[in-house]
Amino acid sequence: MKLFMTLTVTGILIWLELFAGNLGLPLGLPLYAALYFAVANGMVYGMVSAGSAGLLLDLLYAREYLAGALTGTAVVALCAAYACRSSRKMPYAPLTCGMLCGLLICLVNWLWIFFSGGVYYGPNPLCMLIFQIVGGGIFMLLFTLTADAVNFRSDLPRFCLRDNRSGGVGDGR
């Protein structure tokens, strides 16, 4: 079930990333899902999700260098290491992890534009930085709320750790 959910969500977010990228706005949506899967299901699920999404997007956009897989897995690895060391409580953990992921995605895009000589997207760098950071935090929070609810109903591990003192499942009562 973990593999099915990982593949399905990654595929849907790759499609949305293609749609946004064709409009000139590389958001990095599959990386947020890969971050979720790296923390909730294990690092292997997150790395496979980020690597395959980056590789597929690089191939679909016919880029000369297949750097999307490498940079995507590096971003997810850094953010997952931060998330696993944090308290993972709602809403703090998804917000901060999403903001960190958005910052790293923006920095990777800037480096790609600088070294490849590509076209800059957005009105100016500061607006795109703020958009990626704030948008990443909000998207990660909403994605975590939705995916944690689905994982709870499917009896799968979740991103946010739950406090079981309220008489919930698994407290031994």
Side-chain angles (χ1 to χ4, degrees):
M1 186 68 179
K2 286 193 260 186
L3 183 62
F4 173 75
M5 185 167 172
T6 303
L7 292 175
T8 303
V9 171
T10 302
I12 291 169
L13 290 178
I14 287 172
W15 179 77
L16 289 174
E17 181 70 20
L18 280 171
F19 182 70
N22 288 338
L23 295 175
L25 191 62
L27 299 175
L29 296 178
L31 297 182
Y32 295 105
L35 171 60
Y36 179 88
F37 296 130
V39 174
N41 298 337
M43 199 61 107
V44 172
Y45 288 93
M47 295 299 108
V48 168
S49 176
S52 62
L55 184 64
L56 187 61
L57 287 170
D58 284 342
L59 291 174
L60 288 173
Y61 282 124
R63 296 180 182 142
E64 288 182 33
Y65 306 106
L66 301 177
L70 296 174
T71 58
T73 53
V75 166
V76 170
L78 289 172
C79 293
Y82 170 76
C84 289
R85 286 179 172 68
S86 69
S87 64
R88 289 175 47 196
K89 299 285 182 184
M90 186 63 81
Y92 173 72
L95 274 174
T96 56
C97 290
M99 292 170 81
L100 177 64
C101 191
L103 172 69
L104 293 175
I105 289 170
C106 191
L107 292 177
V108 164
N109 285 335
W110 285 350
L111 287 173
W112 176 257
I113 290 168
F114 179 73
F115 286 117
S116 70
V119 178
Y120 185 76
Y121 59 95
N124 62 32
L126 182 61
C127 287
M128 285 313 298
L129 179 68
I130 292 171
F131 175 76
Q132 286 281 31
I133 291 173
V134 172
I138 292 170
F139 181 78
M140 189 68 188
L141 177 65
L142 295 175
F143 183 77
T144 302
L145 285 171
T146 305
D148 272 358
V150 170
N151 283 0
F152 176 73
R153 298 293 291 166
S154 302
D155 197 28
L156 293 172
R158 292 170 279 175
F159 183 90
C160 290
L161 300 175
R162 300 288 190 235
D163 189 8
N164 287 332
R165 287 181 270 162
S166 63
V169 177
D171 65 351
R173 292 185 192 183

